[in-house]
Amino acid sequence: MRPVLGIETSCDETAAAVLDESGTILAEAVASQEAHAVFGGVVPEIAARAHLALLPDMLRRVTQAAGLHFNELGGVAATAGPGLIGGLIVGSQMGKGIALAAGLPFVAVNHLEAHALTARLPGLVPGGAAFPYLLLLVSGGHCLCVLVEGVGRHVRLGGTVDDAVGEAFDKVAKLLGLGWPGGPALERLAASGDPERYRFPRPMLGRLDCDFSFSGLKTAVAQEVARHGAGALPRAVAADIAAGFQVAVVDVLADRVMHAMALFTERHGAGGLLVVAGGVAANMAIRAALQDVAARSGCRFVAPPQRLCTDNAVMVAWTGIERLRLGLADSLDVAPRPRWPLEQLLSARGSE
Ligand code: KG4
Ligand code: ZN
């Protein structure tokens, strides 16, 4: 198969990449839209307009850097959901336009599946992570435990009943007066704090399912911040609160994944593989805790490099390659889907 162009526009990262079938990145670009910072969150209309302004030139640049013309590609893969509808329309329509003009197959990529398949990039794990594996997907919009049994074959074991983990990081970071997105800033602040000084709740710990909850933890942090009165918190207090919050998140994730790993072992036998993906997987404390869970469960652990955890187009191009190899191209009239659960991938494909 010739190299595939990937396009990612589901949230506030505009990204494009060209990958060959062996997973070698021939060219890539990611532009994180700065315009949202003053609003403390992504503004959908601003995001859509920024994707429209940035993408055409970015697509020309990455294909040129890969030394290819559009008609020398093997296919075009664009994120078609879940995400913000304006951005999804921009990215998938441009992808379809190139596919139509250059006579290429088009793949409508599910953003969650793209995160899920990142660990299979052969450069990350020799030969690529083999199916099946247990995936913890933790991002700004999602928190899920999934059995990844094949391309389009995902079994959801559990997920958050309220906030996503990244959302909780972002909200707590805002309470502590950090910038946006808050996750990386909160991790940096927590490094200088005492995780024992404030003992925040660990929701769902020990439950016999794979669900998560973070809103009570976030509320507990908000109450602690309020207790200190109006005005900016002293830096040392903010650092201790950040560290106390982060260690509570780590404990919850480790407990829930330990349980999910036991279910995985029941279904697929011992010696499995645990994979973490999504923006929050860039957090080093979380990676270390998951590494430990995997070791205690007798499993291997794979965490993609941090730059492939946050949104990028390499994962989209790779998902395109995986799907095209199986003959799973999409028709050009497939519509973008703001809501598109992983479990619906198979039936959507099956009816095409
Ligand atoms: O996967 P992603 O780039 O976008 C979504 O699909 O949501 O994830 C972004 C989320 C944000 O909530 C951000 O605060 C969080 O990932 N994040 C982190 C870290 N880096 C990014 N959270 C905790 N620690 C980090 N180092
Ligand atoms: Zn994402």
Side-chain angles (χ1 to χ4, degrees):
M1 188 194 310
R2 286 180 292 167
V4 167
L5 170 67
I7 301 172
E8 164 58 38
T9 55
S10 66
C11 193
D12 60 332
E13 260 88 29
T14 312
V18 180
L19 246 68
D20 72 14
E21 199 183 356
S22 71
T24 303
I25 302 168
L26 303 182
E28 76 171 303
V30 182
S32 296
Q33 302 171 4
E34 308 289 338
H36 307 281
V38 288
F39 300 99
V42 179
V43 183
E45 186 59 31
I46 293 179
R49 285 168 192 266
H51 289 307
L52 196 55
L54 293 167
L55 197 55
D57 185 52
M58 185 182 278
L59 292 174
R60 264 190 298 274
R61 277 189 292 116
V62 294
T63 40
Q64 252 169 29
L68 297 164
H69 296 291
F70 288 136
N71 60 9
E72 292 170 316
L73 292 165
V76 183
T79 300
L84 300 172
I85 187 65
L88 294 173
I89 291 173
V90 171
S92 60
Q93 286 298 105
M94 274 193 208
K96 286 176 192 176
I98 294 169
L100 183 66
L104 302 172
F106 173 74
V107 182
V109 170
N110 178 295
H111 181 84
L112 305 178
E113 178 163 70
H115 277 302
L117 299 182
T118 304
R120 286 173 52 78
L121 264 166
L124 302 185
V125 183
F131 297 126
Y133 51 84
L134 175 69
L135 170 76
L136 174 68
L137 175 49
V138 276
S139 71
H142 302 277
C143 179
L144 290 173
C145 263
V146 183
L147 288 180
V148 181
E149 297 185 326
V151 173
R153 291 174 48 210
H154 309 284
V155 181
R156 187 182 186 278
L157 294 179
T160 182
V161 296
D162 41 55
D163 291 351
V165 205
E167 197 179 349
F169 266 94
D170 292 338
K171 286 177 179 170
V172 168
K174 199 168 182 178
L175 288 169
L176 298 178
L178 306 174
W180 182 88
L186 195 147
E187 181 179 12
R188 279 194 298 278
L189 182 62
S192 62
D194 172 5
E196 306 289 331
R197 179 158 166 213
Y198 298 102
R199 172 97 192 156
F200 294 118
R202 273 99 169 126
M204 308 297 226
L205 222 65
R207 270 179 49 146
L208 290 179
D209 57 30
C210 301
D211 285 339
F212 305 80
S213 165
F214 295 102
S215 74
L217 170 58
K218 177 197 66 193
T219 304
V221 174
Q223 284 168 346
E224 186 55 48
V225 171
R227 224 173 48 77
H228 292 268
L233 289 172
R235 193 180 158 81
V237 174
D240 290 344
I241 292 177
F245 164 78
Q246 184 171 271
V247 77
V249 171
V250 163
D251 285 354
V252 170
L253 292 177
D255 176 81
R256 313 288 55 228
V257 170
M258 193 80 194
H259 182 64
M261 208 64 234
L263 293 181
F264 179 91
T265 305
E266 248 170 51
R267 189 170 168 130
H268 291 292
L273 173 65
L274 170 63
V275 168
V276 66
V280 183
N283 183 291
M284 296 312 283
I286 291 173
R287 289 161 92 99
L290 294 173
Q291 169 92 61
D292 185 52
V293 167
R296 281 191 283 141
S297 312
C299 298
R300 288 187 306 125
F301 175 61
V302 172
Q306 285 170 312
R307 73 185 178 88
L308 295 181
C309 288
T310 45
D311 288 347
N312 64 85
V314 170
M315 66 182 190
V316 179
W318 177 252
T319 303
I321 289 169
E322 293 250 32
R323 290 195 155 257
L324 288 172
R325 270 185 194 153
L326 298 172
L328 291 169
D330 292 280
S331 77
L332 289 181
D333 57 10
V334 62
R337 297 174 61 175
R339 291 181 60 80
W340 189 7
L342 265 181
E343 317 78 90
Q344 285 179 14
L345 274 178
L346 241 197
S347 52
R349 303 281 158 197
S351 61
E352 281 168 21

PDB file of all heavy atoms in Angstrom, residues 45 50 87 92 113 217 297 303 343:
ATOM      1  N   GLU A  45     -16.978  27.265  17.590  1.00  0.00           N
ATOM      2  CA  GLU A  45     -17.012  28.073  16.370  1.00  0.00           C
ATOM      3  C   GLU A  45     -15.601  28.593  16.021  1.00  0.00           C
ATOM      4  O   GLU A  45     -15.206  28.601  14.849  1.00  0.00           O
ATOM      5  CB  GLU A  45     -18.001  29.239  16.576  1.00  0.00           C
ATOM      6  CG  GLU A  45     -18.255  30.084  15.353  1.00  0.00           C
ATOM      7  CD  GLU A  45     -18.818  29.284  14.175  1.00  0.00           C
ATOM      8  OE1 GLU A  45     -19.527  28.292  14.398  1.00  0.00           O
ATOM      9  OE2 GLU A  45     -18.523  29.672  13.019  1.00  0.00           O
ATOM     10  N   ALA A  50     -10.699  28.110  12.711  1.00  0.00           N
ATOM     11  CA  ALA A  50      -9.239  27.959  12.712  1.00  0.00           C
ATOM     12  C   ALA A  50      -8.827  26.733  11.886  1.00  0.00           C
ATOM     13  O   ALA A  50      -7.843  26.788  11.133  1.00  0.00           O
ATOM     14  CB  ALA A  50      -8.726  27.839  14.147  1.00  0.00           C
ATOM     15  N   GLY A  87     -15.507  21.266  13.282  1.00  0.00           N
ATOM     16  CA  GLY A  87     -14.170  20.764  12.935  1.00  0.00           C
ATOM     17  C   GLY A  87     -14.247  19.459  12.169  1.00  0.00           C
ATOM     18  O   GLY A  87     -13.500  19.240  11.203  1.00  0.00           O
ATOM     19  N   SER A  92     -13.180  16.279   7.488  1.00  0.00           N
ATOM     20  CA  SER A  92     -13.610  15.152   6.662  1.00  0.00           C
ATOM     21  C   SER A  92     -13.973  15.612   5.247  1.00  0.00           C
ATOM     22  O   SER A  92     -13.704  14.903   4.274  1.00  0.00           O
ATOM     23  CB  SER A  92     -14.740  14.356   7.322  1.00  0.00           C
ATOM     24  OG  SER A  92     -15.853  15.175   7.548  1.00  0.00           O
ATOM     25  N   GLU A 113     -11.026   5.161  18.180  1.00  0.00           N
ATOM     26  CA  GLU A 113     -10.292   4.018  17.625  1.00  0.00           C
ATOM     27  C   GLU A 113      -8.867   4.436  17.247  1.00  0.00           C
ATOM     28  O   GLU A 113      -7.921   3.663  17.404  1.00  0.00           O
ATOM     29  CB  GLU A 113     -11.009   3.411  16.412  1.00  0.00           C
ATOM     30  CG  GLU A 113     -10.202   2.263  15.832  1.00  0.00           C
ATOM     31  CD  GLU A 113     -10.968   1.333  14.904  1.00  0.00           C
ATOM     32  OE1 GLU A 113     -11.316   1.772  13.798  1.00  0.00           O
ATOM     33  OE2 GLU A 113     -11.186   0.163  15.279  1.00  0.00           O
ATOM     34  N   LEU A 217     -14.682  14.190  43.453  1.00  0.00           N
ATOM     35  CA  LEU A 217     -13.286  14.572  43.739  1.00  0.00           C
ATOM     36  C   LEU A 217     -13.064  16.043  43.399  1.00  0.00           C
ATOM     37  O   LEU A 217     -12.494  16.814  44.185  1.00  0.00           O
ATOM     38  CB  LEU A 217     -12.353  13.664  42.923  1.00  0.00           C
ATOM     39  CG  LEU A 217     -10.875  14.020  42.862  1.00  0.00           C
ATOM     40  CD1 LEU A 217     -10.262  14.068  44.252  1.00  0.00           C
ATOM     41  CD2 LEU A 217     -10.120  12.993  41.997  1.00  0.00           C
ATOM     42  N   SER A 297      -0.090  -7.441  37.677  1.00  0.00           N
ATOM     43  CA  SER A 297      -1.035  -8.358  37.027  1.00  0.00           C
ATOM     44  C   SER A 297      -0.311  -9.339  36.106  1.00  0.00           C
ATOM     45  O   SER A 297      -0.969 -10.100  35.378  1.00  0.00           O
ATOM     46  CB  SER A 297      -2.048  -7.567  36.194  1.00  0.00           C
ATOM     47  OG  SER A 297      -2.585  -6.502  36.917  1.00  0.00           O
ATOM     48  N   ALA A 303       2.852   2.490  26.687  1.00  0.00           N
ATOM     49  CA  ALA A 303       2.347   3.870  26.661  1.00  0.00           C
ATOM     50  C   ALA A 303       3.033   4.562  25.485  1.00  0.00           C
ATOM     51  O   ALA A 303       4.263   4.635  25.451  1.00  0.00           O
ATOM     52  CB  ALA A 303       2.684   4.581  27.965  1.00  0.00           C
ATOM     53  N   GLU A 343     -18.313   1.144  20.372  1.00  0.00           N
ATOM     54  CA  GLU A 343     -19.031  -0.124  20.184  1.00  0.00           C
ATOM     55  C   GLU A 343     -19.878  -0.101  18.911  1.00  0.00           C
ATOM     56  O   GLU A 343     -20.307  -1.141  18.437  1.00  0.00           O
ATOM     57  CB  GLU A 343     -19.991  -0.457  21.342  1.00  0.00           C
ATOM     58  CG  GLU A 343     -19.509  -0.232  22.742  1.00  0.00           C
ATOM     59  CD  GLU A 343     -19.565   1.230  23.149  1.00  0.00           C
ATOM     60  OE1 GLU A 343     -20.569   1.710  23.684  1.00  0.00           O
ATOM     61  OE2 GLU A 343     -18.536   1.889  22.940  1.00  0.00           O
TER      62      GLU A 343
END
